[in-house]
Amino acid sequence: MSFSAPGSPPPESPGQQPYAGPPIPEQAPPVPPQGPPIPQQGQQGQQAPPQAGPYATGPYPVPAAPYAAQPPVAPPYPGQAYPPAAYPATAYPGQPYAQYPGQAYPGPPPAVDSLRSPQGLATALTVLLSIAAAVNLFLTGVCAYGWSLMTDLTANPFKVSDSALTRADGLTAAAVVFQTLLLLATGAVFIVWFYRVRQNGQIFRPDAFTLSRGWAIGGWFVPLGNLVLPFIPAKQTWIASTQFGPDGSYRRVSTLPVTAWWLVWVAALITDRVFSALYDRATTPEKLGTTYVVGAVDGLLTVAAAVLAILFVRKLTGMQNTKAAQGPNAAL
């Protein structure tokens, strides 16, 4: 047996024809497998360009990550524009704007109270209270006229005519209607003014009040409570609207104008209820005479209450205007 070198034709055996085919190419030695290219010194962190061909031997090129403020590309939702915006440019309806992703929306800013001048309402109240005083003065005269008729009717029934009695009833009814209408109009404007000065007083001195500002309105509509509840914020607003001394010291202020107005107003209110009850039940000249006396007293008390209310409104409005213009301390 004989051996031949690699790549050489096999040896001829006896009786075998020599090889007449194409020459056999020499085989290349096996090449060891190659790994990924090693980056050169100074190029660390940079990827080598992929090799040409359908299958690259290098790593697969991954698209660059989006910028920090750029949202990832995603298929649009139904009815949404593509690509979606990172964050809404404006706030959603009824929802504040979020500055950073994942941050809770801030709540609405706290409401800030501001001083509002009560001067216009005070002027309107002065006019309405003056008219109300005139109407109640007219009611007092009508009641005095009715009382004189009832006195004459009791002494001599034939001395008083039916037309005089009818006239007295008509004047009384007209005066009561005018009084009621003016009471509604004046009361509405007064409550608005009262709430405004109460708000201003809260800004001047928040520590001067024991009841919330809502009682400046609700206190008037509490049965029996309306005889006391409105007086509390009225007195406290009067105190809160008073300036301190020039050196910032506390100054005591008389609340007599507030107290006088309130006592007379409560007395007029109670007398008016009594007058209405007696007038509906009076069936004899004696009872009607007593009713007219109560009506005259009611008219005088209401006139006095209107005058004191004008003084109270104008004085308190002036105090708040002065404190708003000069500050909490009085000028020297």
Side-chain angles (χ1 to χ4, degrees):
M1 172 179 289
S2 62
F3 298 91
S4 58
S8 62
E12 297 181 358
S13 59
Q16 184 179 2
Q17 297 295 329
Y19 178 74
I24 299 175
E26 296 183 358
Q27 296 181 358
V31 179
Q34 297 180 358
I38 300 176
Q40 299 179 1
Q41 188 72 14
Q43 296 181 350
Q44 187 175 3
Q46 297 182 359
Q47 296 180 355
Q51 299 180 4
Y55 299 101
T57 57
Y60 187 78
V62 180
Y67 295 102
Q70 179 181 359
V73 177
Y77 296 101
Q80 179 182 356
Y82 184 83
Y87 305 103
T90 57
Y92 295 103
Q95 189 176 16
Y97 178 75
Q99 297 180 355
Y100 304 102
Q103 179 182 3
Y105 285 98
V112 178
D113 293 333
S114 58
L115 293 174
R116 301 180 62 186
S117 174
Q119 187 62 52
L121 293 171
T123 302
L125 270 178
T126 302
V127 175
L128 289 173
L129 287 170
S130 301
I131 298 175
V135 170
N136 282 276
L137 191 61
F138 172 72
L139 176 62
T140 302
V142 170
C143 289
Y145 174 69
W147 173 78
S148 65
L149 288 179
M150 295 301 104
T151 302
D152 294 342
L153 186 61
T154 302
N156 186 4
F158 300 100
K159 187 178 180 180
V160 180
S161 62
D162 294 339
S163 59
L165 295 176
T166 303
R167 186 185 308 110
D169 290 339
L171 291 175
T172 304
V176 170
V177 170
F178 282 121
Q179 183 190 43
T180 303
L181 293 177
L182 276 173
L183 178 63
L184 294 176
T186 308
V189 179
F190 186 90
I191 290 176
V192 175
W193 171 85
F194 193 61
Y195 184 74
R196 179 167 297 184
V197 295
R198 170 61 178 81
Q199 283 185 307
N200 292 342
Q202 182 75 25
I203 299 173
F204 290 145
R205 282 191 59 186
D207 60 330
F209 299 92
T210 57
L211 297 176
S212 64
R213 67 185 68 183
W215 286 105
I217 298 177
W220 297 93
F221 302 97
V222 179
L224 298 180
N226 55 10
L227 301 178
V228 179
L229 289 176
F231 173 70
I232 298 175
K235 182 179 179 180
Q236 293 174 349
T237 302
W238 183 276
I239 296 175
S241 303
T242 304
Q243 288 182 298
F244 294 107
D247 56 349
S249 60
Y250 178 76
R251 294 195 307 176
R252 297 187 63 87
V253 58
S254 175
T255 58
L256 181 60
V258 189
T259 305
W261 158 70
W262 185 254
L263 291 177
V264 175
W265 162 250
V266 171
L269 191 64
I270 295 175
T271 307
D272 183 71
R273 298 295 186 269
V274 174
F275 171 67
S276 298
L278 291 177
Y279 189 81
D280 293 336
R281 300 176 183 178
T283 55
T284 62
E286 291 81 5
K287 291 182 178 181
L288 280 173
T290 303
T291 300
Y292 280 125
V293 171
V294 175
V297 174
D298 173 40
L300 291 176
L301 287 174
T302 307
V303 171
V307 173
L308 292 175
I310 292 174
L311 298 177
F312 166 65
V313 168
R314 295 183 66 85
K315 179 63 176 178
L316 181 55
T317 301
M319 291 167 60
Q320 290 201 346
N321 290 338
T322 301
K323 193 167 186 177
Q326 298 180 1
N329 297 342
L332 292 175

